[in-house]
Amino acid sequence: MVTFIASIVLLIVGYMIYSKVVEKAFSIDDSRQTPAYTVNDGMDYVPMSWWKGWLIQLLNIAGLGPIFGAVAGALYGPVAFIWIVVGAIFAGGVHDYFSGMLSLKHKGAQFPEIVGKYLGPFAKKSIIGVSLILMILVTAAFTAGPAQLLAQVTPLSFIGAIFVVFAYFFISAILPINKIIGRIYPIFGAVIIIMAVAIGAVLVFGNYTIPNLTLSNMHPGELPVWPLLMVTISCGAISGFHSTQSPIVSRTMKKESEGRKIFYGAMIGEGVIALIWAAAGMTFFGGTGGLQSALAAGGPAGVINEMSTTMLGTVGGVLAILAIIILPITTGDTALRSSRMIVMDAVSKWIDPDKKGTVIMATVLLGTPAFLLSMIDYTFLWRYVGGTNQITATIMLWVVVSYLLKEGRAHAHYIAGIPALFMTGVVTTYFVFAPEGLNLDYTISLIIGGALTFGVFLLYVRQIIRHKEIAAKNLVLE
């Protein structure tokens, strides 16, 4: 119990203190007009209040991610608390804030455009493919799950439910952001918040004993924490998917000072939600062994449904069904919208991105492969979503490092450089070790991952020295 409460307090304190450090590194200026006013196309660029932006951002980046991922991450034991707290404050918050604010700085630019600006044209072309693959995989993965439940609780067949879900995706992706997303997301956002608060309250005040972090129970499982925990719990700590979603909200912001509340604040909010569900997973089933059996029997959806129904009664069961249906859908629709925006930005030199026909055509072209992938086993898709997701996060952190160095803020590069090196170690080791990667021996994977990360570290140091030399020359010339 003490570890759980302390973790939530640390997240709140992290927002109050460290988010201001991150904001200072960016250097906001509310006298600059935001793209919501300078572009204002009535489609993606529409001024909205910061609290709506926060709720949209929270739902975009959360969905079932901090619930399913946190419950699966609970298998690693109380060490998951450390990763969520440290990851959200020092990695995820930095990642999300800068992905949103750099988009704002460059007229609502999409993630690949930002990568190209700070890491070069080759990186931009490469990341367009990676981003689109991630968006299509997420759209597909967040379709099959709710479709299966819809087929169970309605007369619809599984295929019919998929058609219904994709019909909503399509409509949501082609309509102005304030028509559907701006109106219903705050309501759906309330669902995920109410569920988390209610489960958290029952854990704290009910007859439950949340395990504390000790040396003996830090990690009771057999799977290696490094790097699997950092890929299993992404939403709630750091997730590259967020960098593709932040531009949706950056195009609606009224002033730059709202960024800390919207982007960093939503990441901390997601961290709190992840903490609650991770604690519930460790506690409700009597330990990681019971949780593992429950996951094997009913999957994440079954586990969430059982915990919600037992801990919250009939209301909890209704909320669980709503969450398992609604929350993934509200991630899938913005994933499709983001992929449409990425493609249209990439080809804007050759087509008119403001034409309704262009919007519809791009949505159909990107929605088709996602629709087809949703017909296969979506648990298979998640094996590839996790790794691709964290590669994207790592790239975004290196973009932030490049931005800070190029802007002459070398004193602040560490706020992104340290988590970037950490995540470089995660993704290199993961893809050498994981079954969907090279599937090598764990010890060999650690050696290779460590060597690659050290090589990146040397390149990082070289760039720091180079920028210091440039700054010194400029100072002499002045």
Side-chain angles (χ1 to χ4, degrees):
M1 181 74 76
V2 174
T3 302
F4 173 66
I5 299 297
S7 296
I8 292 180
V9 171
L10 285 172
L11 282 177
I12 296 171
V13 172
Y15 171 75
M16 295 172 63
I17 297 175
Y18 199 67
S19 67
K20 293 180 180 179
V21 175
V22 174
E23 181 184 58
K24 187 176 180 180
F26 181 79
S27 185
I28 61 171
D29 183 357
D30 279 344
S31 67
R32 290 190 288 246
Q33 273 200 315
T34 63
Y37 295 105
T38 58
V39 180
N40 198 345
D41 62 357
M43 178 66 178
D44 297 314
Y45 295 85
V46 180
M48 295 176 65
S49 60
W50 76 264
W51 65 268
K52 276 192 175 182
W54 181 83
L55 280 169
I56 292 171
Q57 178 73 0
L58 178 66
L59 208 55
N60 282 355
I61 66 177
L64 281 178
I67 301 178
F68 277 17
V71 169
L75 288 172
Y76 294 87
V79 70
F81 291 148
I82 297 177
W83 168 234
I84 292 171
V85 172
V86 175
I89 295 173
F90 298 106
V94 175
H95 173 280
D96 287 17
Y97 180 80
F98 276 97
S99 64
M101 296 306 289
L102 287 177
S103 173
L104 184 78
K105 179 182 178 68
H106 297 290
K107 298 182 179 180
Q110 288 294 304
F111 175 58
E113 296 294 322
I114 298 171
V115 171
K117 175 74 176 177
Y118 295 102
L119 297 184
F122 175 77
K124 174 185 174 180
K125 292 176 182 177
S126 302
I127 206 62
I128 286 176
V130 173
S131 299
L132 290 178
I133 289 171
L134 177 60
M135 293 301 95
I136 291 170
L137 287 174
V138 168
T139 304
F142 278 122
T143 300
Q148 283 182 340
L149 188 55
L150 273 175
Q152 293 173 13
V153 300
T154 69
L156 291 171
S157 65
F158 175 64
I159 300 299
I162 285 182
F163 272 102
V164 170
V165 172
F166 258 92
Y168 165 75
F169 283 177
F170 181 77
I171 293 170
S172 178
I174 66 173
L175 287 180
I177 190 169
N178 59 335
K179 297 300 182 184
I180 293 183
I181 293 176
R183 291 179 179 177
I184 67 172
Y185 266 42
I187 299 172
F188 294 159
V191 172
I192 192 173
I193 294 172
I194 290 170
M195 278 190 71
V197 170
I199 293 292
V202 172
L203 283 173
V204 173
F205 299 107
N207 189 26
Y208 293 97
T209 304
I210 305 173
N212 286 314
L213 180 66
T214 64
L215 292 176
S216 61
N217 77 342
M218 182 179 291
H219 174 45
E222 297 179 357
L223 292 173
V225 171
W226 176 272
L228 298 184
L229 175 61
M230 292 77 193
V231 177
T232 303
I233 301 181
S234 54
C235 295
I238 179 171
S239 168
F241 178 69
H242 299 184
S243 63
T244 67
Q245 300 302 289
S246 295
I248 293 177
V249 178
S250 75
R251 297 182 179 194
T252 70
M253 289 170 55
K254 293 182 177 180
K255 53 185 179 179
E256 292 186 4
S257 58
E258 294 174 346
R260 185 171 70 92
K261 291 181 285 189
I262 293 174
F263 300 118
Y264 200 103
M267 181 66 248
I268 294 299
E270 189 185 45
V272 172
I273 292 169
L275 273 175
I276 291 171
W277 285 103
M282 296 176 206
T283 305
F284 182 83
F285 296 98
T288 56
L291 174 60
Q292 189 169 27
S293 299
L295 285 170
V303 166
I304 298 303
N305 185 50
E306 183 178 351
M307 286 195 296
S308 300
T309 303
T310 304
M311 297 174 76
L312 304 178
T314 303
V315 174
V318 172
L319 285 174
I321 291 174
L322 285 174
I324 294 168
I325 293 176
I326 292 173
L327 297 181
I329 290 176
T330 57
T331 299
D333 64 351
T334 50
L336 182 58
R337 188 182 188 95
S338 293
S339 61
R340 185 261 295 168
M341 291 164 63
I342 288 172
V343 168
M344 292 180 68
D345 281 1
V347 299
S348 60
K349 294 181 180 179
W350 301 282
I351 64 170
D352 183 358
D354 295 327
K355 284 187 176 180
K356 180 60 70 175
T358 305
V359 172
I360 293 174
M361 183 181 298
T363 306
V364 170
L365 288 174
L366 293 163
T368 299
F371 176 80
L372 296 174
L373 283 170
S374 68
M375 304 289 187
I376 68 175
D377 180 10
Y378 70 97
T379 58
F380 168 80
L381 294 176
W382 275 116
R383 289 173 52 188
Y384 295 92
V385 169
T388 307
N389 187 38
Q390 298 304 61
I391 284 178
T392 306
T394 305
I395 292 171
M396 183 65 225
L397 287 171
W398 285 119
V399 166
V400 179
V401 171
S402 178
Y403 162 75
L404 292 172
L405 289 174
K406 287 182 179 180
E407 290 293 312
R409 295 169 193 160
H411 65 286
H413 66 80
Y414 68 90
I415 66 173
I418 294 174
L421 282 170
F422 180 87
M423 290 306 297
T424 299
V426 168
V427 296
T428 52
T429 306
Y430 179 79
F431 277 101
V432 176
F433 175 65
E436 57 270 25
L438 298 180
N439 198 21
L440 297 182
D441 174 77
Y442 182 61
T443 302
I444 295 174
S445 300
L446 290 177
I447 294 171
I448 295 175
L452 291 172
T453 304
F454 183 70
V456 173
F457 169 73
L458 294 178
L459 292 173
Y460 175 36
V461 172
R462 181 181 177 185
Q463 287 299 310
I464 294 172
I465 295 172
R466 175 175 170 270
H467 280 279
K468 284 184 177 180
E469 289 174 347
I470 292 173
K473 288 180 181 179
N474 290 336
L475 186 63
V476 170
L477 291 174
E478 290 176 0

